[in-house]
Amino acid sequence: MFISNAYAQAAGAAPESSLMSFLPIILMFVVLYFVMIRPQMKRQKEQKAMLDALAKGDEVITAGGIAGKVTKVADAFVSVEISNGVEMQVQKSAVTTLLPKGTLK
């Protein structure tokens, strides 16, 4: 009396193609590539180029926040002068930023 009758839906609705069912997942990976993966790869390439171009006299900042002038460059290590007569050796990968010339006095 208060409940209406429920009728079955008519048959004949064709199932979606398999490509259309995977389309949201494919779009999600494409967006993920352009938003996260590609910029990270670009940053890594720039960092590697900067480390390869390090030379004596460059002013740098290390990962620990120490600023200094490069005095020696080896394959894996860099000597950084942080004050007059005070040098420390850091790994090349610890150098994060290359400063413009004349930044440090």
Side-chain angles (χ1 to χ4, degrees):
M1 175 154 128
F2 294 111
I3 300 174
S4 61
N5 292 336
Y7 297 103
Q9 187 174 3
E16 291 185 28
S17 69
S18 61
L19 179 64
M20 292 303 284
S21 63
F22 286 114
L23 188 62
I25 294 172
I26 293 169
L27 287 175
M28 186 174 65
F29 279 112
V30 168
V31 169
L32 180 75
Y33 175 78
F34 282 107
V35 171
M36 292 180 65
I37 297 171
R38 189 166 178 247
Q40 179 65 27
M41 288 171 40
K42 184 178 177 183
R43 240 179 271 122
Q44 285 176 345
K45 187 184 290 185
E46 290 172 355
Q47 180 76 9
K48 185 176 181 340
M50 186 263 303
L51 291 177
D52 290 340
L54 272 181
K56 183 178 177 181
D58 287 343
E59 296 173 354
V60 296
I61 297 179
T62 66
I66 298 172
K69 186 178 282 192
V70 175
T71 57
K72 294 180 205 166
V73 179
D75 290 335
F77 292 94
V78 176
S79 291
V80 179
E81 183 180 26
I82 55 176
S83 183
N84 290 335
V86 179
E87 282 190 22
M88 61 184 243
Q89 278 194 336
V90 295
Q91 290 182 337
K92 263 190 173 179
S93 61
V95 175
T96 58
T97 308
L98 183 63
L99 298 172
K101 297 278 185 185
T103 304
L104 302 175
K105 304 287 184 229

